[in-house]
Amino acid sequence: MTKTIWRKLDRRIETIWADTPEYCAGQEKNGTWKERLGKYCRAHRTELLFVLLMGCFLCGLSWILPFDQGPDEKMRYMIPTYIYRHGTLPAGYDPEVTSRIWGISYAYQPILPYIFGGYLMKLVGLFTTGDKALLMAARFINVLIGMGFYWYVLQISKKLFHRGIFRVFFVALLAMLPQLLYLFVYVNTDGIAMLSSAMLICYWLEGLEHHWDRRSCTRLAVGVSVCALSYFNAYGYALFSIVLFVVSLAVRYMKRGLKACMQIILKRGIYITVLVFLLAGWWFIQCAILYDGDFLGMKVQDHYAEMYAQEDFKPSVKKSLYQQGVPLAQMLANEEEGGMEWIRTTWRSFIGYFGYYKYALGLDIYEIHKRLSALGAVGLFLKILVHCLEYAMGSLIPLLKKMGIWKQEKAGISGRKSVKWYAAAGTVGEKMHPMEFFVLQFSFVCCIIIPVLLSLYYSYMSDFQPQGRYIMPMVIPLMYFVTVGIERFVTLFFGKWMQYVMMVPLFYAVLHVFLGAFISVYIPTYYEPLASWADIRFVWFSNLRVFTRLIQMLFPG
């Protein structure tokens, strides 16, 4: 009977996509699940090997990291420990998970990785109850999340970039960013926020490619659900999932008429909404029940902080910069200008700052990524300028032909229809409408801006914390634009073989940051037998004088 009900429901749901059978074709399951799994693993063996290597590296970093050397790990670890001991989820005001200093806990916010961590601790506890084993069980969830993140990064790179060298460079920017790797080695919810951002970007691209068929809608719903149960600074991706979904369907189906288009959008939108409610709604319902309707758990957190925090840390006593009358410009300005260095500190901790922002990487390391970003910005400017010129020429050529001024076709410019500038978005771009491409780029820009604005607002209006992890959800769009800009710069000025030569210093720049962070700082700091590695320095063309200056005009270092 259950199978009959499910089949009827499945057929009923399938009618939502009845008008797009061509995009659902070929998705039937052929063979047993073992055969399908084996075929999938063989097809993606290189990617799976990369993800496995990343997992091993993250496990090693997690193993040598002492307890409470990640920001607030001691407070966060209380939650999986509570689940391990009691087998249930804690309320935010439970004394076992509440800080005696701040009077609050992290249990007011979504705790999805802590739930998995707590139950993995129970499984490990069947064999050993050692403190290190239980801590690693809780941390291992974040290692798995990091592996999932890099799996999605690989899928995104294949969809966004045509050429392999730039795919690899995009992945390298993310796989060797010290602070990003650091988020996956201790107990936190920042890691799952990063995973949700990667999932949603991947599912955006799939939805645009397949015109939001059933599979892509289902995956989008899963991505939004994970995002809803992650950190609040990733919620911009959920918001722009709606924008991209609606605009894309409107572009595709508006030719059928407004009524038909609205029906398609509503049917598929309701399907996604129901799935999100089923997958993520339970948390917000629980919060509403526990905290008298406060389904986000934010107001009740301030209430209990006022009741139980130490006197100096009560919200009524601890005033924000805004309440103190500190100008916003002073908060943003550098120390030499009499400011509080919010921008500089946030940027440096976005690249890498270990422990409780105690172990810096060195000024040269931060300068490298600054120059990479600047080079990417120059390339983006050139890309936009070239496209504008191509579009203008494509519009002007027909008029010049009629006037008899344009006598022959010029190479590379043959009219507006041939100027498919939106195809620059890799394999997906070839199937993308120009409006979809524009909204995708706009969504990327907004997903860079939103975490920065949220972090800025929090530091100024609540608690001054210029931490790079608060803006980390912007990292994929940021590195995408950096890679696109560098691709445009390199391909515009250099021939094919020379492009590979020019990319060598850029790859070494990324590797230099990675090695400088982990060989010279992280490992010697947290693994005493290799403390001597702190003296290791990596050469960056430091003794080439004139040649160095020429290179540094173009490349980081």
Side-chain angles (χ1 to χ4, degrees):
M1 182 178 177
T2 304
K3 288 184 178 179
T4 303
I5 294 173
W6 169 252
R7 286 171 183 169
K8 288 183 178 180
L9 178 62
D10 191 54
R11 285 196 297 269
R12 180 65 178 170
I13 293 174
E14 192 62 45
T15 59
I16 299 174
W17 292 271
D19 57 339
T20 57
E22 65 273 21
Y23 300 111
C24 299
Q27 294 185 4
E28 297 82 5
K29 297 178 180 179
N30 298 317
T32 65
W33 69 269
K34 290 184 179 179
E35 292 172 346
R36 296 198 305 273
L37 179 61
K39 185 178 179 181
Y40 186 86
C41 290
R42 287 191 296 273
H44 298 275
R45 55 184 178 273
T46 304
E47 297 161 357
L48 290 171
L49 177 61
F50 171 77
V51 170
L52 181 62
L53 291 175
M54 291 300 299
C56 293
F57 179 68
L58 292 173
C59 269
L61 296 180
S62 182
W63 179 264
I64 67 175
L65 184 69
F67 176 60
D68 198 27
Q69 283 301 303
D72 295 334
E73 185 178 34
K74 185 176 181 180
M75 260 184 82
R76 299 172 189 275
Y77 187 58
M78 292 177 179
I79 300 172
T81 301
Y82 181 97
I83 297 171
Y84 163 68
R85 291 173 178 170
H86 302 284
T88 59
L89 305 187
Y93 47 74
D94 194 294
E96 285 190 49
V97 296
T98 300
S99 167
R100 296 180 180 179
I101 298 174
W102 299 98
I104 59 174
S105 76
Y106 281 104
Y108 292 107
Q109 302 164 0
I111 56 173
L112 186 60
Y114 304 153
I115 295 173
F116 290 118
Y119 286 109
L120 185 57
M121 289 171 68
K122 290 182 76 69
L123 179 62
V124 171
L126 297 176
F127 305 95
T128 177
T129 57
D131 292 340
K132 183 69 173 182
L134 294 176
L135 175 63
M136 284 303 298
R139 286 178 172 179
F140 187 67
I141 298 300
N142 251 32
V143 172
L144 293 177
I145 288 172
M147 294 171 68
F149 172 82
Y150 285 109
W151 169 260
Y152 281 106
V153 165
L154 290 173
Q155 309 315 307
I156 292 168
S157 69
K158 291 190 294 185
K159 295 178 182 298
L160 288 179
F161 298 98
H162 278 294
R163 299 184 57 184
I165 189 170
F166 296 107
R167 290 180 189 173
V168 174
F169 186 71
F170 171 73
V171 174
L173 284 172
L174 293 165
M176 296 186 185
L177 187 65
Q179 191 67 30
L180 179 57
L181 291 166
Y182 186 50
L183 292 180
F184 296 126
V185 301
Y186 67 94
V187 180
N188 61 64
T189 54
D190 299 283
I192 199 167
M194 300 310 304
L195 174 62
S196 69
S197 68
M199 291 175 69
L200 284 174
I201 291 175
C202 184
Y203 297 153
W204 287 356
L205 299 173
E206 285 188 8
L208 293 172
E209 185 177 4
H210 299 295
H211 306 331
W212 303 105
D213 61 358
R214 180 173 178 177
R215 176 179 291 185
S216 55
C217 285
T218 303
R219 290 179 174 180
L220 182 70
V222 173
V224 171
S225 301
V226 174
C227 183
L229 295 176
S230 69
Y231 215 55
F232 294 141
N233 56 3
Y235 278 16
Y237 288 93
L239 173 63
F240 279 91
S241 296
I242 300 171
V243 174
L244 198 62
F245 173 80
V246 172
V247 171
S248 177
L249 287 179
V251 166
R252 293 289 173 181
Y253 294 103
M254 188 60 75
K255 57 186 177 183
R256 299 189 183 184
L258 180 61
K259 183 177 179 181
C261 180
M262 289 302 296
Q263 286 179 344
I264 292 171
I265 293 174
L266 286 174
K267 285 181 180 179
R268 299 184 191 184
I270 290 171
Y271 171 78
I272 294 172
T273 303
V274 170
L275 281 182
V276 172
F277 179 79
L278 292 175
L279 293 173
W282 61 271
W283 171 261
F284 301 99
I285 293 173
Q286 173 188 260
C287 288
I289 294 171
L290 288 175
Y291 311 134
D292 296 327
D294 185 9
F295 66 94
L296 291 178
M298 299 179 75
K299 294 180 181 178
V300 70
Q301 183 172 264
D302 292 337
H303 172 71
Y304 280 100
E306 189 64 35
M307 291 175 60
Y308 299 118
Q310 294 181 6
E311 191 62 32
D312 292 342
F313 298 97
K314 293 181 182 292
S316 59
V317 176
K318 193 175 183 297
K319 295 184 178 181
S320 66
L321 296 179
Y322 173 75
Q323 292 171 329
Q324 296 174 35
V326 177
L328 179 61
Q330 182 180 340
M331 186 187 85
L332 300 176
N334 295 331
E335 185 178 5
E336 54 267 21
E337 299 170 355
M340 303 177 68
E341 296 212 338
W342 187 89
I343 295 176
R344 180 182 289 174
T345 306
T346 299
W347 169 255
R348 289 179 178 175
S349 56
F350 176 79
I351 303 303
Y353 236 114
F354 300 134
Y356 279 82
Y357 295 90
K358 181 179 179 182
Y359 303 105
L361 307 184
L363 298 180
D364 57 329
I365 298 294
Y366 302 122
E367 189 67 22
I368 286 176
H369 265 285
K370 188 185 296 184
R371 294 189 181 185
L372 276 173
S373 301
L375 185 61
V378 171
L380 276 177
F381 174 77
L382 291 173
K383 185 181 182 70
I384 295 170
L385 181 62
V386 168
H387 288 325
C388 289
L389 290 174
E390 286 183 340
Y391 188 85
M393 290 299 293
S395 302
L396 187 60
I397 287 171
L399 178 61
L400 295 177
K401 283 182 179 180
K402 289 182 179 180
M403 298 172 63
I405 300 174
W406 189 270
K407 298 297 183 183
Q408 67 179 54
E409 295 288 344
K410 301 295 183 183
I413 302 176
S414 56
R416 182 186 301 178
K417 292 184 179 179
S418 68
V419 184
K420 294 184 178 180
W421 52 271
Y422 50 89
T427 57
V428 177
E430 297 171 351
K431 304 177 181 180
M432 201 182 301
H433 189 278
M435 179 57 71
E436 291 177 318
F437 177 79
F438 173 78
V439 176
L440 177 66
Q441 306 304 300
F442 178 74
S443 299
F444 283 160
V445 171
C446 291
C447 288
I448 291 174
I449 295 173
I450 288 174
V452 176
L453 292 180
L454 289 175
S455 178
L456 183 66
Y457 178 85
Y458 180 74
S459 287
Y460 190 61
M461 302 298 293
S462 181
D463 187 16
F464 180 72
Q465 292 194 47
Q467 298 189 29
R469 63 190 179 94
Y470 291 151
I471 65 169
M472 193 58 73
M474 76 174 188
V475 71
I476 294 180
L478 177 65
M479 296 310 179
Y480 161 70
F481 285 123
V482 169
T483 306
V484 168
I486 289 174
E487 179 183 18
R488 176 72 279 186
F489 184 89
V490 172
T491 56
L492 188 64
F493 293 108
F494 302 102
K496 189 171 183 179
W497 70 271
M498 196 62 182
Q499 293 170 13
Y500 293 95
V501 175
M502 291 297 102
M503 288 300 295
V504 171
L506 297 179
F507 274 104
Y508 181 72
V510 178
L511 181 63
H512 182 260
V513 173
F514 174 80
L515 295 175
F518 290 103
I519 301 299
S520 300
V521 180
Y522 189 96
I523 293 176
T525 298
Y526 296 123
Y527 189 61
E528 190 173 350
L530 298 178
S532 60
W533 284 16
D535 298 325
I536 296 177
R537 294 294 180 268
F538 298 92
V539 178
W540 182 247
F541 304 129
S542 58
N543 57 349
L544 302 183
R545 297 184 181 178
V546 177
F547 185 61
T548 304
R549 294 173 179 264
L550 179 61
I551 289 180
Q552 289 183 348
M553 289 176 64
L554 299 177
F555 304 112

